[in-house]
Amino acid sequence: MNFGKAKKRETRILLILGLLVVLIFLFPFYIAIVQSFKTQLETAYNALALPGAFRLDNYYEAVEKISFSTSLKNSLIVTVTGVLLIVLCSSMSGYAIARNEGGYFKVLDRLFLSSIMVPFQVIMIPAYKLLKSLGLLNHLAGEIVMLVGISVAYSSFLYVGFVKSIPMELEDAARIDGCSRFQTFWVIVFPLLKPITATTAALHAMWLWNDFNISLIVLQKDAVRTLTIKQFYFFSEYASDYNMAFAAAMIGMIPILVTFLFLQKYLVSGITSGAVKG
Amino acid sequence: MKKKKKREVRSRLISFLFTLPSLFFFSLALLIPFVMGLNIAFTDWNGIAKEYHYVWFDNFIKIFSDSRIVNPVKNTVVYALLTVVFNNVVPLGLALLFTGIRGKAGNICRLVVFVPCCLSGVLSAFVWKFIYRFVLSALTGLSSPLGSTFWVLPGIMLIALWNGCGINMLIYYAALKNVPSDLYEAALIDGAGRLQLFRNVTIPMIMPAFTICVTLGFTNGLKEFGMVMSATGGGPARTSETISMYIYNNLYTYSKAGYGQAISLVFLLVLVVTGNLMTGFFRKREVDM
């Protein structure tokens, strides 16, 4: 009896602590949302208070100043094309590595694995040089090539693990029925890879959208900048007009937060199965 | 027999074709730049000019007599240590707390802690810079830690913690959920207290999670670039400049690409050695089930 009471009290304490954690983690969001609706005067008077009225002026101004449609378009092109290419390439290479032993495939597997350790700074200077000589600097194509290239090793690794867990009988049966290797992969195997494809796509959508390192090197002209890198320059340029900058920040947050709500299941399963990289 | 062999070769050839698209992008983004980098590290290339000369090991020797590199190295190590401590203690604490909260409330807690992870470092740094500057002073009268030469690294670390600790929290949470409950029951029957339970049952059982979170946390801390760039740009007075930023500055500010490349190769060596040592250390302490 007494035990039950103590247990109940403990549950209540944990709940209160949990609520406290939630409030602390949401606080920066509150600050951001509130400033984005306030006037400069209101923020200067009290940064914590709610806005006096619901105004969208900051948003109108931010959309105009950040050339929102261009950077959003760039971000979308880079993320969507990048994720599609990553899934296409790494599902195929992951499958090939998982289903073949020794020789070339083992070397490739090792090469991919060890490349995950390589920090971006090691390739930054030569990649800049290479892209420049190929004429891909300040092109979205260059950005996509770089992002896909540094991602395929890791995502292939994710696919290798998954392919090894599915039995080969189905593929053999399809082969006997006269399917070519190519058909077997796309018609039989690829649909079976759906869970790992969802995880890979969700994780990379997040990483590509938020990429800073590569965009900083490759996208040095305004017209090709993605939302993340555009905001980086924007925040330092308009450092004094906080309210408009916060509206710009909100505009950047909303697409990723909405996507997150749809993808969270796959993100969580990806992360908890050890799918984290730097 | 011959026919079978032929089919085997054909099958491997098709598999080889399957790897080509990945290999194409991988080569362009990583393999070729890496090999080019080995070359650049031995030259005095300034990052722009068409011409350069081979200086062989001069760049590598210079690293050890470069007084400007001392600060970034120190900052990087301090930052990585701060990150690895706080980005494990806090997520583990949160995970322990959340395992005690059942049902929908627990789900919401985990979701909220994870939400900041999908924001870029640029956005997080911007919001927190404002909080440090205006909200912190309004509430406590303290000035922004990012302006202090002593508090700047902990200040940046705190932003990174808010931005990223949800990932480690999820890993620890999953690990804690996987500890079989009969182990706890057996220990309770043996008369173990709470602290003993945690030290002798929980910790050994979640060792694999430590291996991942501590090793990746430390190597990622050593690599930190984007967050520092967005939060302070290395200031005040270079007190938050990390080694990654120093390499970047050698290319874009100091026009010493060859030297920067040499540092990055030494940096890679340090990362690989540290990562392997740490993984080895933790793997030895994992228990087989």
Side-chain angles (χ1 to χ4, degrees), chain A residues 25-272:
Chain A
F25 271 83
L26 287 181
F27 179 67
F29 287 106
Y30 167 78
I31 291 289
I33 295 168
V34 169
Q35 310 316 321
S36 71
F37 290 113
K38 288 205 274 204
T39 61
Q40 270 178 309
L41 206 66
E42 281 175 318
T43 295
Y45 183 65
N46 186 349
L48 281 160
L50 287 164
F54 183 79
R55 287 181 224 90
L56 285 171
D57 303 7
N58 293 327
Y59 283 84
Y60 293 135
E61 204 184 332
V63 167
E64 203 177 302
K65 289 249 166 70
I66 205 170
S67 49
F68 178 69
S69 53
T70 316
S71 16
L72 183 74
K73 196 183 78 202
N74 292 338
S75 271
L76 280 173
I77 293 174
V78 167
T79 308
V80 173
T81 325
V83 169
L84 278 177
L85 282 171
I86 288 168
V87 166
L88 279 177
C89 296
S90 54
S91 62
M92 284 167 70
S93 57
Y95 172 70
I97 292 171
R99 287 288 190 248
N100 288 278
E101 274 165 14
Y104 165 77
F105 298 97
K106 192 167 183 188
V107 172
L108 193 65
D109 193 31
R110 283 285 155 82
L111 193 64
F112 277 0
L113 269 180
S114 43
S115 80
I116 295 171
M117 273 300 260
V118 176
F120 167 70
Q121 278 70 27
V122 172
I123 54 150
M124 178 175 78
I125 294 167
Y128 170 83
K129 195 180 174 199
L130 180 68
L131 286 180
K132 205 169 161 191
S133 63
L134 291 174
L136 287 172
L137 209 63
N138 290 316
H139 277 288
L140 291 181
E143 168 91 353
I144 293 169
V145 165
M146 283 302 294
L147 285 170
V148 174
I150 61 159
S151 304
V152 283
Y154 179 69
S155 46
S156 295
F157 164 72
L158 290 178
Y159 274 105
V160 170
F162 195 86
V163 170
K164 279 187 176 158
S165 73
I166 55 175
M168 276 180 80
E169 278 86 23
L170 272 172
E171 293 156 49
D172 294 338
R175 209 90 51 78
I176 290 163
D177 286 347
C179 276
S180 72
R181 282 295 289 264
F182 207 66
Q183 280 174 321
T184 311
F185 178 73
W186 289 113
V187 180
I188 309 290
V189 181
F190 192 73
L192 290 173
L193 301 177
K194 215 154 128 200
I196 195 70
T197 300
T199 296
T200 309
L203 282 171
H204 284 91
M206 202 169 80
W207 285 330
L208 263 52
W209 184 272
N210 287 334
D211 171 76
F212 176 77
N213 293 354
I214 290 172
S215 317
L216 186 69
I217 305 295
V218 182
L219 307 175
Q220 298 184 340
K221 288 214 180 101
D222 216 37
V224 285
R225 278 185 185 145
T226 56
L227 207 50
T228 305
I229 203 72
K230 181 84 194 179
Q231 280 173 332
F232 172 71
Y233 289 105
F234 183 82
F235 289 151
S236 46
E237 205 175 317
Y238 294 93
S240 56
D241 192 350
Y242 269 106
N243 303 87
M244 197 252 290
F246 267 110
M250 290 308 298
I251 293 170
M253 271 186 210
I254 291 162
I256 193 76
L257 287 180
V258 171
T259 320
F260 166 77
L261 286 177
F262 286 106
L263 298 180
Q264 49 140 323
K265 198 176 92 191
Y266 305 108
L267 286 173
V268 169
S269 73
I271 286 163
T272 48

Side-chain angles (χ1 to χ4, degrees), chain B residues 32 73 90 106 137 156 162 173 176 201 278:
Chain B
I32 298 171
V73 169
V90 173
S137 65
I156 297 171
W162 177 77
Y173 181 82
L176 287 170
V201 181
M278 287 180 81

Side-chain angles (χ1 to χ4, degrees), chain B residues 126-180:
Chain B
F126 171 71
V127 176
W128 277 88
K129 257 157 73 181
F130 179 86
I131 294 178
Y132 281 155
R133 231 176 111 185
F134 296 100
V135 183
L136 190 72
S137 65
L139 289 178
T140 64
L142 297 170
S143 54
S144 170
L146 301 185
S148 141
T149 52
F150 181 77
W151 287 106
V152 62
L153 288 175
I156 297 171
M157 190 274 300
L158 192 68
I159 308 177
L161 191 66
W162 177 77
N163 188 202
C165 83
I167 290 178
N168 283 2
M169 182 274 294
L170 283 178
I171 295 174
Y172 281 126
Y173 181 82
L176 287 170
K177 279 274 164 197
N178 278 335
V179 181

Side-chain angles (χ1 to χ4, degrees), chain B residues 239-250:
Chain B
T239 44
S240 64
E241 187 181 36
T242 61
I243 199 75
S244 299
M245 282 185 69
Y246 189 61
I247 297 169
Y248 174 84
N249 283 336
N250 267 297

